[in-house]
Amino acid sequence: MELISSTKSFGGWLKRYKHESLSVKGDMTFAIYLPPQAETQKVPVLYWLSGLTCTDENFTQKAGAFRKAAELGLAIVCPDTSPRGTDYPGEHESYDFGSAAGFYLNATVAPYSNTYHMYDYVVQELPHLVEANFPVTDKRSISGHSMGGHGALICALKNPGHYLSVSAFAPIVNPTDCPWGEKAFTGYLGEDKSTWQEWDASLLIANAKERLPLLVDQGEADNFLAEQLKPEALEAACEQAGHPLTLRRQPGYDHSYFFIASFIDEHLEHHAKALS
């Protein structure tokens, strides 16, 4: 790993690293916040997955999470949102597909199938790297925003026992039935919609092997609420399957990091309780 930067914050350290990834066959960047407790003991980890157009820096610079993370003794790991350094046809032409829009799945359609394996990177490679090189335990939680909320939900639902808690802000909960998901899934997975189902949280709920409680915050003034996010789909799936869900509809809040910063402390407390 190559250290890019190191910044002290609330007694801990925010560090950014670049490393060669086997999953995406190229360099990846991630950030890790190590609370002050990490200087004397191993600490649990929350993995944060960011949304469309983002990098690891959006959360670290805008969420205001480090004061509470330092208090709770919680490390936070923030990966990038897609592979970088490739130049596939159309990869950089739109904000909702390709660069910065990896959707945390494993692509099966060429050329994206060569490198767009963000699911393998987040679930397998990155935790292995973090746990081997930093003073952290193997206790993990996962959270995210928008596309990253989708990623957090599917990673938890598809890997029982791998995470101790999961939460999301304004997640894309039913990507097989919204414009963002339909565009991305067609490009990454192909036209056969039966192959899409394993990457849709609302469809995974019915056969989930672990009933890990879901915490979801959704702003009611979110511009993407009706067309793209559709929290009612997740709500209906959880009700039918008896899956525990706390869906908090927050009046007046939009899709921005002002929304995330307003409730991030409560999410960190939710994860710290499960990780302790």
Side-chain angles (χ1 to χ4, degrees):
M1 294 187 299
E2 175 188 342
L3 180 65
I4 300 172
S5 64
S6 182
T7 307
K8 195 164 188 178
S9 179
F10 296 105
W13 290 91
L14 173 64
K15 298 176 181 287
R16 295 185 75 220
Y17 289 90
K18 181 171 70 173
H19 73 103
E20 184 178 358
S21 166
L22 298 177
S23 301
V24 306
K25 300 178 183 177
D27 287 342
M28 286 293 288
T29 299
F30 72 91
I32 180 169
Y33 177 71
L34 293 167
Q37 294 87 337
E39 295 186 5
T40 57
Q41 65 189 61
K42 291 186 175 183
V43 297
V45 184
L46 172 65
Y47 289 85
W48 173 269
L49 307 183
S50 290
L52 293 168
T53 75
C54 292
T55 69
D56 62 286
E57 292 188 288
N58 293 76
F59 179 85
T60 60
Q61 295 180 4
K62 298 179 180 180
F66 298 147
R67 183 192 297 273
K68 179 59 70 172
E71 174 188 322
L72 296 171
L74 185 62
I76 304 177
V77 172
C78 305
D80 203 348
T81 50
S82 79
R84 306 285 176 168
T86 53
D87 195 21
Y88 301 137
E91 183 181 13
H92 312 303
E93 292 179 1
S94 60
Y95 78 95
D96 54 358
F97 181 77
S99 183
F103 267 82
Y104 304 103
L105 50 73
N106 290 337
T108 57
V109 173
Y112 293 94
S113 56
N114 294 324
T115 55
Y116 272 64
H117 299 153
M118 287 300 294
Y119 175 78
D120 284 350
Y121 178 72
V122 167
V123 174
Q124 299 175 15
E125 184 176 5
L126 186 58
H128 178 78
L129 183 72
V130 168
E131 290 164 19
N133 289 279
F134 297 98
V136 301
T137 70
D138 60 359
K139 292 184 176 181
R140 313 174 199 94
S141 291
I142 193 164
S143 185
H145 171 231
S146 194
M147 178 186 72
H150 144 77
L153 293 174
I154 64 167
C155 287
L157 290 168
K158 288 165 69 69
N159 296 277
H162 194 67
Y163 303 100
L164 295 181
S165 57
V166 58
S167 72
F169 289 84
I172 305 171
V173 301
N174 195 194
T176 61
D177 189 31
C178 76
W180 278 340
E182 290 170 358
K183 178 178 180 179
F185 284 13
T186 301
Y188 295 137
L189 303 173
E191 299 285 350
D192 182 0
K193 293 188 177 182
S194 67
T195 65
W196 298 7
Q197 297 179 11
E198 66 171 305
W199 307 106
D200 186 309
S202 294
L203 301 180
L204 290 170
I205 287 291
N207 297 313
K209 295 181 179 180
E210 177 185 39
R211 296 301 178 191
L212 196 64
L214 311 181
L215 172 61
V216 175
D217 271 308
Q218 174 61 63
E220 291 188 339
D222 192 318
N223 292 337
F224 304 113
L225 177 58
E227 183 180 26
Q228 305 282 12
L229 305 179
K230 302 184 177 183
E232 63 276 4
L234 181 66
E235 192 171 37
C238 287
E239 183 175 358
Q240 183 173 356
H243 195 110
L245 167 68
T246 301
L247 174 58
R248 309 193 304 184
R249 292 177 169 86
Q250 305 289 4
Y253 286 92
D254 59 15
H255 200 69
S256 72
Y257 265 85
F258 295 111
F259 164 52
I260 295 170
S262 298
F263 300 101
I264 190 63
D265 283 4
E266 295 172 32
H267 281 242
L268 295 180
E269 289 169 351
H270 166 77
H271 293 296
K273 183 178 179 180
L275 291 164
S276 61

